[in-house]
Amino acid sequence: MRIEPFTDTPLSILAYDGTPKENPDSLGLGKDDYLHMYRWLVFVRGVDDRGYILVRQGRAGFYAQIAGQEAAQVGSALPLLKDDWMYPDHRSQGSMLVKGLSAAEWFGHVLGRTLDPTQGRLMPHGPGRRDLHIVPPASTVGNKITEAVGTAMAQRIKKRKEITICYMGDGATSEGDFHVGMNFAAVYQAPALMFVQNNQYAISMRTDQQTRTKTIAEKARAYGMPGYFVDGNDVLAVYAVTKHCADRARSGNGPSLIEAYTYRYGPHSSADDDTRYRPKGELEMWRTQRDPVTRMRRFLELRGWWSEEQEQRLQAEIKAQLAAAMEEAEKSPPPAPLTVFDHVYETLTPHLAWERAELAAELGV
Amino acid sequence: MRIEPFTDTPLSILAYDGTPKENPDSLGLGKDDYLHMYRWLVFVRGVDDRGYILVRQGRAGFYAQIAGQEAAQVGSALPLLKDDWMYPDHRSQGSMLVKGLSAAEWFGHVLGRTLDPTQGRLMPHGPGRRDLHIVPPASTVGNKITEAVGTAMAQRIKKRKEITICYMGDGATSEGDFHVGMNFAAVYQAPALMFVQNNQYAISMRTDQQTRTKTIAEKARAYGMPGYFVDGNDVLAVYAVTKHCADRARSGNGPSLIEAYTYRYGPHSSADDDTRYRPKGELEMWRTQRDPVTRMRRFLELRGWWSEEQEQRLQAEIKAQLAAAMEEAEKSPPPAPLTVFDHVYETLTPHLAWERAELAAELGV
Amino acid sequence: MATVQTPPQTQLTMVQAIRSALLEEMERDQDVVILGEDIGVRGGVFLITEGLIDKFGPERVIDTPLAEAGIIGAAVGMALYGLRPIAEIQFIDFIFPGFDLLVTEAAKIRYRSAGQFGVPMVIRSPYGGGVRGGAYHSQSPEAYFVATPGLKVVVPSNPYDAKGLLIASIRDPDPVVFMEPKKIYRAVKSEVPAGPYEVPLGKAALVREGKHVSIITFGAMVQVALEAAGLLAADGVEAEILDLRTLQPYDTQAILTTVAKTGHVVLLQEAPRIGGYCAEIAAYIAEHAVEHLEGPIVRVAGWDTAFPYALEKVYMPNAQRVVRAVKKTLNF
Amino acid sequence: MATVQTPPQTQLTMVQAIRSALLEEMERDQDVVILGEDIGVRGGVFLITEGLIDKFGPERVIDTPLAEAGIIGAAVGMALYGLRPIAEIQFIDFIFPGFDLLVTEAAKIRYRSAGQFGVPMVIRSPYGGGVRGGAYHSQSPEAYFVATPGLKVVVPSNPYDAKGLLIASIRDPDPVVFMEPKKIYRAVKSEVPAGPYEVPLGKAALVREGKHVSIITFGAMVQVALEAAGLLAADGVEAEILDLRTLQPYDTQAILTTVAKTGHVVLLQEAPRIGGYCAEIAAYIAEHAVEHLEGPIVRVAGWDTAFPYALEKVYMPNAQRVVRAVKKTLNF
Ligand SMILES: Cc1ncc(C[n+]2csc(CCOP(=O)(O)OP(=O)(O)O)c2C)c(N)n1
Ligand SMILES: Cc1ncc(C[n+]2csc(CCOP(=O)(O)OP(=O)(O)O)c2C)c(N)n1
Ligand SMILES: [Mg+2]
Ligand SMILES: [Mg+2]
């Protein structure tokens, strides 16, 4: 696959049925790597399925599923190194898990327990972890883009060989912050990857209602930055493009925009009713003909590296792993009431100390 | 001149020395039109020169000169019809005058007198006039862009054959509002002209520090909108491109971005010291070799339509006209103190009525 | 208050009442248009605009790209042109990318044009906590709007007022921020007449009479005040409850009257205390009615933190806290 | 207050004092970087950063494109990474295109990350009227920042404090909005030590002792308060003046002390009255020191309008208005 910006059709390696259009081994990957990738796809789908159940059980207030977008997330997170920084958005838990967040932490987050590295502070669409360089996303669409670029500028100022990846949706590209962030990234040649998961919807708004361009990738032209249009359901293609851009950024050649063209299976969130706006048959088509997990599995099968038996073993193994993770999360207590005052500032202000005392009196603690 | 978007060099009709590169009569203009245009160039330069003197006399707090950018302003305002709307920025008085603002009103504005249609409410970089459909600019760079698009959307909703022009500088294109406004304009195919006066500086920041693209015009690509790059010191080219885009918008074919490449002669404003950042010789080069007023004069002279004597007559006539306008402005009183409470809301709130009474008591009026 | 005219009354939720205001005003006036994210086919995330696109078409029910600066900016431009746009911000927490358009433009254009241009628009948006929304789906940022001359700020506390205040806001010549307490979108019903009626801006409502203490509040907190008043009544304390309804311009007369009557004041808001809206009311009373005060003016408010997710219950003001505040000022 | 250490003192203007804080902190700590519009070769529009780009290079003195959201957003991202960015907003009126980054991000990241991440950054910006700047070069928007938990808000009133408060702000682990009264950028000089020193955040300064009335204010209005105190003294009224210096967290102790001493309070700010910062101080006093009040708490403020150009003098609070307010509370 020649990795070129501004193509009309998405860059891809695997056809929809998993047949390689060209030999992916040129990526420098071997059997173990492919199996590793596949495992991640299955794992993050498993985590997400389990997480979503918690809402349906009434044990969480909100959930935004990644189902359908696993390849975009796994493929873009795998090329990152330990010291690289990640700014996830509200639908990037797959990437966070690859970067090192544990399933138990994710469940703890969804349940709002202390196992959550962010201590139940946020609606469950993403914790962060300082040691992993994962910045906790806020709900607000788009406003992490300029920050991610600031981090990348800092990496450059400090002459580190690190990069920063920033996740966003197709909808986010309409916000002013997208423009401002893209422009700063280009002007300062910051080592940033602007990674757009174009799942074709921003809640109910189709991409063609969001913008008049055919692709998101071509928006990079407004910044003198390359923009890559890649099949987001092809984990190998996503990996290849992201790796390419990461290497470029790491060696001081500046930022890139990557558009991973994909599709979400679930409603926008647990609060959404997607039947109101999805055309009939569309979801089924994507699910049955373009599924990113199945596609990779077919590739492995074609190579003779994967059997039904191996699949079942993997599924069982992950199931057990996730059951244990869930148990760990459930055992974790919710945050204690008085912690509500912690971390507004590094130290409690007199006013907050007074409020804390009021609450302590109220609770008799 | 073939009017095409996304050219590498600016579209132009007149060479720097005023020689037509091709016959401009194909624009449908005749001798009177050319003379009319020239008169406007001389007139707006005259108004601006006089206006600036007021700051140097300490009679105004601020001034942003348009010198050097007259062709961009006159050429873009002349194709507008009476019912079209204009959103000027802080450096568009030339366009406002062409749209119908009087010189006396402009001076009244600079002096902060009641002759100012905006009653001395604003720092002097632009009054507005409702009947002329000129919206008063604020100082804030870029935030009128989305409004202008909203007005154009309304024109379309009401099925009027009107358009809206929005002026902005090169610097303004870095603001998020530029992006948001461009996107809305394109998505709704609003009859809007996004007119960028690229005078190569945003205060001290050169355009190549502002963005990594070679032109501003190409930013239109990110919105599926045509972007025209035009020599902003060639009044005929600016007129032609603006007319082209205006016709296009008026007939329902959507918005355009126009970049008029020009240069400002003065400091950013009366508060600026441009010697700190301008490379030596640059200003002189533009002033002596590319002046928009001189260029048009040369064109008229080449056609045998203009003589030194006519020039002197015109200068004298405008001088007298401006002296009268200045006198009218100076005679106009400043706004009365108690008017400070008017127009916060359509009617005075009880709280403002109370404050008004307090001030009246204080002043004994 | 405008006399309520017509017979057909029904029990409506706030969502339904707001929808009926939009529907009726759009029917009455061709220039009323609505715009926002997902308000078309999706009907809005709370279904307030459900079905309106079918009735009025996509030129008057405008689904927008994801950009609040565009929503507010376009609405301002439409209003300047002469339309009456109603912009929906999906959650008021997301107004900030468009905040400049609101405070720098919408609020100031009438003033800076010396009255030549007006901006007759409404920004409606759900606000407030109690729905497990965490830091970014729970905020109550009214203080920002109130500190901005040129804006009006309206917060209904029940379906009847919601409809009448929204209609009054749509017809108002100035920009109105209309904050809808989403916690009680469907929790409270009241009689709502079928035809159009206005609840005038700038007038508070006395929702409970009492003689010992005045609880001054607005929006979803009116329910909390009522609950507290119930608890207090059991103790023989009769609380008067004033629902401000319009925060800017606010009803100074109603405030002075209740303070003069009871001499004790508790102010109740969801937002953090420091710099919050109730500070303004306290300051007004301390300047204009200090002679009536028989105890401290006590504020009950959200804690001075961001809005937490897991500890939402600990965070939100509740009836017990109001009762404690009342006792604090009474036992002074 | 930290003891002021070293001998070499000079009379500096506020511009010079602020510049020396930047220079010394950048020399001390490699991680301190500054960014903003025109701060490089141009030296900033007020020349506060003059020459710094020559000394520290374009990687630490970063001229930015014209986008406040980028300036604040990039600063947040740098701070998260571990730098100590100081962002300049050219005039604070232009902070609003970046307001979301400030209130949604900078202010809340420590909280939402449960203390994992901090945002040690300073936003410095000139504010206030008196320079013929009209509606968009004159505003005093401190109320917005103070209503945002997670931000600290600092406003110096003289060169000595400006330097010491700025150094303390740079070293502070949390985001600080540092508002510089541009009217007195060059109008007031004071002794400023050459080396680094901190004026601690959260501590007010008693700039004049008096026994009859407390004037509580900050920033450029301290000068107006002093002028008023002079006029009052001629009438035998001794005004005490408290300069808050830090608006959030504010010095409750100093406020209670002066109120207890005088029993009469006048609050003075440039911003419009309604919902302004002084409302918070009034509310605090009305809750915690009502027993000491011997008259109304009177607010002197800008009128509740946008900031006008031609009528600036009519608009701005002045000493006469303060005197009238003092008499109002004293003659109560
Ligand atoms: C500034 C802002 N506006 C609106 C919302 C409400 N909202 C949450 S997600 C979303 C759509 C996001 O679409 P996209 O960026 O494509 O991401 P996706 O959800 O499809 O992954 C909207 C409108 C928000 N969170 N923030
Ligand atoms: C939002 C905002 N930020 C900063 C400023 C200060 N400022 C005024 S004009 C200007 C430069 C504008 O440059 P450009 O858009 O190129 O227009 P020009 O002045 O060159 O005509 C700046 C930074 C402002 N007015 N508004
Ligand atoms: Mg999407
Ligand atoms: Mg410019």
Side-chain angles (χ1 to χ4, degrees):
Chain A
M1 184 180 70
R2 264 196 54 210
I3 299 178
E4 283 181 298
F6 305 123
T7 54
D8 282 334
T9 51
L11 299 168
S12 68
I13 291 177
L14 299 181
Y16 295 150
D17 65 1
T19 332
K21 297 181 185 172
E22 59 191 282
N23 189 345
D25 298 347
S26 62
L27 298 175
L29 303 174
K31 177 178 172 188
D32 283 353
D33 300 308
Y34 296 127
L35 291 175
H36 183 66
M37 272 186 188
Y38 179 64
R39 192 189 194 287
W40 270 120
L41 292 173
V42 175
F43 182 76
V44 304
R45 176 164 290 184
V47 172
D48 206 46
D49 285 347
R50 300 287 314 216
Y52 192 60
I53 291 173
L54 294 174
V55 198
R56 286 198 270 124
Q57 294 170 336
R59 297 162 75 201
F62 177 93
Y63 202 95
Q65 294 166 276
I66 61 168
Q69 305 182 204
E70 294 88 350
Q73 302 194 11
V74 170
S76 59
L78 278 175
L80 302 177
L81 303 182
K82 189 170 164 302
D83 283 341
D84 293 337
W85 280 57
M86 177 184 284
Y87 280 78
D89 76 351
H90 59 278
R91 200 187 304 284
S92 327
Q93 49 268 37
S95 303
M96 290 191 232
L97 291 163
V98 173
K99 189 94 173 61
L101 190 82
S102 77
E105 286 171 322
W106 174 253
F107 296 141
H109 173 68
V110 176
L111 290 167
R113 302 295 171 79
T114 43
L115 188 63
D116 173 8
T118 47
Q119 305 291 302
R121 284 284 162 91
L122 285 170
M123 220 174 149
H125 43 45
R129 251 181 67 183
R130 180 72 176 85
D131 58 336
L132 297 173
H133 301 169
I134 302 175
V135 178
S139 306
T140 327
V141 166
N143 67 2
K144 264 65 57 187
I145 302 174
T146 53
E147 286 167 40
V149 172
T151 295
M153 287 168 70
Q155 289 169 323
R156 198 184 154 113
I157 291 169
K158 295 304 258 182
K159 307 206 183 342
R160 305 260 162 76
K161 287 241 160 279
E162 306 161 8
I163 65 169
T164 295
I165 190 166
C166 180
Y167 287 93
M168 67 196 88
D170 42 293
T173 66
S174 291
E175 287 283 1
D177 289 331
F178 169 76
H179 177 68
V180 174
M182 288 288 290
N183 191 42
F184 270 56
V187 164
Y188 299 108
Q189 290 291 291
L193 306 190
M194 317 302 262
F195 193 91
V196 179
Q197 298 186 61
N198 178 0
N199 61 10
Q200 307 181 48
Y201 287 94
I203 307 189
S204 70
M205 296 291 286
R206 295 185 321 275
T207 313
D208 65 356
Q209 297 174 285
Q210 198 71 243
T211 175
R212 226 180 139 79
T213 56
K214 272 183 50 195
T215 65
I216 303 283
E218 71 200 87
K219 291 182 185 289
R221 287 190 192 276
Y223 311 97
M225 192 194 289
Y228 297 90
F229 183 36
V230 61
D231 184 335
N233 284 14
D234 177 350
V235 69
L236 296 180
V238 174
Y239 178 88
V241 170
T242 311
K243 181 82 170 57
H244 172 86
C245 297
D247 290 347
R248 211 173 150 268
R250 217 180 285 288
S251 47
N253 294 312
S256 313
L257 175 67
I258 302 170
E259 172 187 5
Y261 187 70
T262 181
Y263 195 79
R264 75 162 145 76
Y265 295 164
H268 168 73
S269 77
S270 48
D272 186 29
D273 171 5
D274 53 331
T275 61
R276 288 180 180 268
Y277 55 82
R278 248 203 261 255
K280 239 177 61 182
E282 191 185 74
L283 173 59
E284 263 328 283
M285 191 280 280
W286 279 86
R287 203 196 274 282
T288 55
Q289 294 169 38
R290 303 202 180 166
D291 184 70
V293 186
T294 312
R295 198 186 306 183
M296 188 60 184
R297 179 174 166 184
R298 293 276 169 274
F299 166 72
L300 295 179
E301 287 170 351
L302 285 170
R303 290 248 168 148
W305 291 337
W306 201 249
S307 64
E308 181 56 32
E309 192 213 312
Q310 277 168 299
E311 178 71 20
Q312 298 212 350
R313 209 172 329 124
L314 178 66
Q315 295 286 357
E317 181 199 317
I318 287 176
K319 195 170 167 197
Q321 194 181 341
L322 295 184
M326 185 62 79
E327 204 183 309
E328 190 185 344
E330 285 168 333
K331 276 204 312 248
S332 158
L338 290 184
T339 63
V340 77
F341 300 103
D342 294 347
H343 310 306
V344 180
Y345 302 96
E346 199 193 54
T347 50
L348 223 54
T349 60
H351 200 102
L352 283 165
W354 173 77
E355 291 186 354
R356 193 176 189 280
E358 291 264 305
L359 179 61
E362 175 185 323
L363 301 175
V365 292
Chain B
M1 182 179 76
R2 262 196 55 209
I3 298 176
E4 282 182 300
F6 305 124
T7 54
D8 281 335
T9 52
L11 299 168
S12 68
I13 290 177
L14 300 180
Y16 295 149
D17 64 2
T19 331
K21 298 182 185 173
E22 59 192 284
N23 188 345
D25 300 347
S26 62
L27 297 175
L29 303 173
K31 177 178 172 187
D32 284 355
D33 301 309
Y34 296 127
L35 292 175
H36 183 66
M37 272 187 186
Y38 180 64
R39 191 189 194 285
W40 270 120
L41 292 173
V42 176
F43 182 75
V44 305
R45 176 164 290 185
V47 172
D48 205 47
D49 285 348
R50 299 287 315 219
Y52 192 59
I53 292 173
L54 294 173
V55 197
R56 284 197 271 124
Q57 292 170 338
R59 298 163 73 202
F62 177 92
Y63 203 94
Q65 293 167 277
I66 61 169
Q69 305 181 205
E70 294 88 349
Q73 302 195 10
V74 170
S76 59
L78 278 175
L80 302 177
L81 303 182
K82 189 171 162 303
D83 284 341
D84 291 337
W85 280 57
M86 177 185 282
Y87 281 78
D89 77 350
H90 59 279
R91 199 187 304 282
S92 326
Q93 48 268 37
S95 303
M96 289 190 233
L97 291 163
V98 174
K99 189 95 172 64
L101 191 84
S102 77
E105 286 171 323
W106 174 253
F107 297 141
H109 173 70
V110 176
L111 290 167
R113 301 296 171 82
T114 43
L115 189 64
D116 173 8
T118 47
Q119 304 293 301
R121 284 284 160 89
L122 285 170
M123 222 172 148
H125 41 46
R129 251 181 67 183
R130 180 72 176 83
D131 59 335
L132 297 174
H133 301 170
I134 303 176
V135 179
S139 307
T140 327
V141 166
N143 67 2
K144 263 66 58 187
I145 302 174
T146 53
E147 287 167 40
V149 172
T151 295
M153 287 168 70
Q155 290 170 322
R156 198 185 154 114
I157 291 169
K158 297 302 260 181
K159 308 206 181 345
R160 305 258 164 77
K161 286 240 160 280
E162 306 161 10
I163 65 169
T164 295
I165 190 167
C166 180
Y167 288 93
M168 67 196 88
D170 41 293
T173 67
S174 292
E175 287 283 1
D177 288 333
F178 169 76
H179 176 68
V180 174
M182 288 288 288
N183 191 42
F184 270 56
V187 164
Y188 299 108
Q189 290 291 289
L193 307 189
M194 317 301 264
F195 194 91
V196 179
Q197 297 186 62
N198 179 358
N199 62 10
Q200 306 181 47
Y201 287 94
I203 308 187
S204 70
M205 295 291 286
R206 294 185 323 274
T207 313
D208 66 355
Q209 297 174 285
Q210 199 70 244
T211 176
R212 225 180 140 79
T213 56
K214 271 183 50 196
T215 65
I216 302 284
E218 70 200 87
K219 291 181 185 289
R221 287 190 194 275
Y223 311 96
M225 193 194 289
Y228 297 91
F229 183 37
V230 60
D231 184 334
N233 284 15
D234 176 351
V235 69
L236 296 179
V238 174
Y239 178 88
V241 170
T242 310
K243 181 81 170 57
H244 172 86
C245 296
D247 291 346
R248 209 174 151 267
R250 218 181 283 289
S251 46
N253 294 313
S256 312
L257 175 67
I258 302 170
E259 172 186 6
Y261 187 71
T262 181
Y263 195 80
R264 75 163 146 76
Y265 295 164
H268 168 73
S269 77
S270 47
D272 185 31
D273 172 5
D274 53 329
T275 61
R276 286 180 182 268
Y277 54 82
R278 248 201 262 256
K280 239 175 61 181
E282 190 184 76
L283 173 60
E284 264 327 282
M285 191 280 280
W286 279 85
R287 204 197 273 280
T288 55
Q289 294 169 38
R290 303 203 180 165
D291 184 69
V293 186
T294 312
R295 198 186 303 183
M296 187 61 183
R297 179 173 168 186
R298 292 278 169 271
F299 167 71
L300 296 178
E301 288 169 351
L302 286 170
R303 289 250 168 147
W305 292 337
W306 202 249
S307 64
E308 181 57 30
E309 193 212 315
Q310 278 167 300
E311 178 73 19
Q312 299 213 347
R313 209 171 331 122
L314 178 65
Q315 295 284 359
E317 183 200 315
I318 287 176
K319 194 171 168 197
Q321 193 182 341
L322 295 184
M326 186 62 81
E327 206 185 307
E328 191 187 342
E330 285 169 333
K331 275 203 314 248
S332 158
L338 290 185
T339 63
V340 77
F341 300 103
D342 296 347
H343 310 306
V344 181
Y345 302 97
E346 198 194 53
T347 49
L348 223 55
T349 60
H351 200 103
L352 284 164
W354 173 77
E355 291 187 356
R356 193 176 189 280
E358 292 265 305
L359 179 61
E362 174 184 324
L363 302 174
V365 293
Chain C
M1 193 183 298
T3 37
V4 179
Q5 296 165 342
T6 40
Q9 304 230 348
T10 5
Q11 290 279 339
L12 296 186
T13 63
M14 193 170 283
V15 162
Q16 293 164 329
I18 293 169
R19 185 174 175 283
S20 87
L22 295 175
L23 182 82
E24 290 169 16
E25 286 298 285
M26 290 186 80
E27 278 172 340
R28 185 186 61 79
D29 183 351
Q30 287 285 330
D31 287 339
V32 175
V33 301
I34 62 178
L35 68 166
E37 295 157 12
D38 306 294
I39 65 165
V41 183
R42 179 67 180 81
V45 297
F46 290 101
L47 298 183
I48 284 182
T49 56
E50 193 178 10
L52 298 184
I53 195 166
D54 303 324
K55 217 171 152 58
F56 301 106
E59 298 229 305
R60 292 182 63 203
V61 178
I62 306 167
D63 256 328
T64 67
L66 212 178
E68 290 70 19
I71 296 169
I72 302 177
V76 171
M78 290 175 179
L80 290 172
Y81 187 76
L83 299 186
R84 297 246 161 194
I86 305 170
E88 172 174 311
I89 299 296
Q90 204 162 79
F91 289 85
I92 205 154
D93 313 69
F94 305 135
I95 202 167
F96 299 112
F99 194 69
D100 184 51
L101 272 301
L102 183 63
V103 304
T104 308
E105 292 293 299
K108 296 186 175 63
I109 295 178
R110 185 185 292 285
Y111 197 76
R112 82 168 184 251
S113 71
Q116 295 184 86
F117 291 88
V119 186
M121 67 183 266
V122 176
I123 295 182
R124 34 167 302 277
S125 188
Y127 86 92
V131 298
R132 307 183 73 183
Y136 301 103
H137 293 82
S138 304
Q139 292 174 83
S140 300
E142 63 275 0
Y144 300 131
F145 312 130
V146 168
T148 310
L151 299 181
K152 296 184 176 178
V153 185
V154 174
V155 193
S157 69
N158 62 69
Y160 176 87
D161 282 357
K163 178 169 176 181
L165 287 167
L166 182 52
I167 291 176
S169 299
I170 294 169
R171 297 177 185 179
D172 195 271
D174 286 302
V176 177
V177 180
F178 190 87
M179 296 173 54
E180 302 169 359
K182 62 176 163 307
K183 181 175 163 53
I184 54 172
Y185 257 163
R186 294 170 205 277
V188 183
K189 285 196 173 195
S190 63
E191 293 284 319
V192 177
Y197 61 95
E198 291 185 43
V199 172
L201 305 190
K203 292 274 168 265
L206 200 61
V207 297
R208 187 184 197 280
E209 290 202 54
K211 55 178 187 276
H212 299 120
V213 62
S214 304
I215 304 176
I216 304 178
T217 188
F218 54 93
M221 285 292 117
V222 171
Q223 294 297 324
V224 174
L226 283 166
E227 192 188 334
L231 298 173
L232 288 163
D235 277 1
V237 175
E238 288 306 326
E240 177 145 309
I241 301 177
L242 192 67
D243 173 4
L244 289 171
R245 300 201 291 201
T246 301
L247 308 192
Q248 163 80 304
Y250 58 88
D251 189 342
T252 52
Q253 205 43 60
I255 293 169
L256 294 180
T257 305
T258 187
V259 175
K261 180 171 170 191
T262 69
H264 290 281
V265 181
V266 167
L267 305 172
L268 172 59
Q269 71 184 21
E270 261 182 83
R273 180 184 331 253
I274 296 180
Y277 178 71
C278 285
E280 172 60 30
I281 303 304
Y284 187 82
I285 295 170
E287 179 155 1
H288 297 280
V290 75
E291 65 273 29
H292 297 297
L293 288 181
E294 290 162 25
I297 301 174
V298 184
R299 287 185 285 175
V300 179
W303 306 120
D304 283 293
T305 72
F307 199 104
Y309 173 73
L311 293 176
E312 173 167 43
K313 287 237 171 69
V314 168
Y315 183 85
M316 296 258 303
N318 55 34
Q320 287 70 32
R321 282 183 204 156
V322 176
V323 168
R324 240 187 322 278
V326 166
K327 296 199 169 150
K328 189 162 157 191
T329 181
L330 287 180
N331 302 337
F332 183 68
Chain D
M1 192 184 296
T3 37
V4 178
Q5 299 166 338
T6 39
Q9 306 234 345
T10 7
Q11 290 279 339
L12 295 187
T13 63
M14 192 169 285
V15 162
Q16 293 164 330
I18 293 169
R19 185 175 176 283
S20 87
L22 295 174
L23 182 83
E24 289 169 15
E25 286 298 285
M26 290 186 80
E27 278 171 340
R28 183 187 61 80
D29 182 352
Q30 287 284 331
D31 287 337
V32 176
V33 301
I34 62 179
L35 68 166
E37 295 158 11
D38 306 294
I39 66 165
V41 183
R42 179 68 182 78
V45 295
F46 291 100
L47 299 183
I48 285 182
T49 55
E50 194 177 11
L52 296 185
I53 195 167
D54 303 325
K55 218 171 151 58
F56 301 106
E59 298 229 305
R60 292 182 63 203
V61 179
I62 306 168
D63 256 329
T64 67
L66 211 178
E68 290 71 18
I71 296 170
I72 301 177
V76 171
M78 291 174 176
L80 290 173
Y81 188 76
L83 300 185
R84 299 244 160 196
I86 305 170
E88 173 173 309
I89 299 296
Q90 203 163 76
F91 288 86
I92 204 155
D93 313 70
F94 305 135
I95 201 167
F96 299 111
F99 194 68
D100 183 50
L101 272 301
L102 183 62
V103 303
T104 308
E105 292 293 300
K108 296 186 174 64
I109 295 178
R110 185 185 291 285
Y111 197 75
R112 81 167 185 252
S113 71
Q116 295 183 85
F117 290 87
V119 186
M121 66 183 267
V122 177
I123 296 183
R124 34 167 302 275
S125 187
Y127 86 93
V131 299
R132 306 183 73 183
Y136 302 103
H137 292 82
S138 304
Q139 292 174 81
S140 300
E142 63 276 359
Y144 300 131
F145 312 130
V146 168
T148 309
L151 299 181
K152 296 185 177 178
V153 184
V154 175
V155 192
S157 69
N158 62 71
Y160 176 87
D161 283 357
K163 179 170 176 180
L165 287 167
L166 182 53
I167 291 176
S169 299
I170 294 169
R171 297 177 184 180
D172 194 90
D174 287 304
V176 177
V177 180
F178 190 87
M179 295 172 54
E180 302 169 0
K182 62 177 163 305
K183 182 178 163 51
I184 54 172
Y185 258 162
R186 293 169 206 277
V188 183
K189 285 197 174 194
S190 64
E191 294 283 318
V192 176
Y197 60 95
E198 290 186 42
V199 172
L201 306 191
K203 293 274 168 263
L206 200 62
V207 296
R208 187 184 196 280
E209 292 203 50
K211 55 179 186 275
H212 299 119
V213 62
S214 304
I215 304 176
I216 305 179
T217 189
F218 54 93
M221 285 294 116
V222 171
Q223 294 297 323
V224 174
L226 284 165
E227 193 188 332
L231 298 172
L232 288 163
D235 278 1
V237 175
E238 288 307 326
E240 178 144 307
I241 301 177
L242 192 67
D243 174 2
L244 288 171
R245 300 200 292 200
T246 301
L247 308 192
Q248 163 81 301
Y250 58 87
D251 189 342
T252 53
Q253 206 43 60
I255 293 169
L256 295 179
T257 306
T258 186
V259 174
K261 178 171 171 193
T262 70
H264 290 280
V265 181
V266 167
L267 305 173
L268 172 59
Q269 70 184 22
E270 262 182 81
R273 179 185 332 254
I274 296 180
Y277 178 70
C278 284
E280 172 60 30
I281 303 304
Y284 187 82
I285 294 169
E287 179 155 1
H288 297 279
V290 75
E291 65 273 28
H292 296 297
L293 288 180
E294 289 162 26
I297 301 174
V298 183
R299 286 185 285 175
V300 179
W303 305 119
D304 282 293
T305 73
F307 199 105
Y309 173 72
L311 293 175
E312 174 166 42
K313 287 235 170 70
V314 168
Y315 183 87
M316 297 257 305
N318 56 34
Q320 287 70 32
R321 282 183 204 156
V322 176
V323 169
R324 241 188 321 279
V326 166
K327 295 199 168 150
K328 191 162 155 190
T329 182
L330 288 181
N331 303 336
F332 183 67

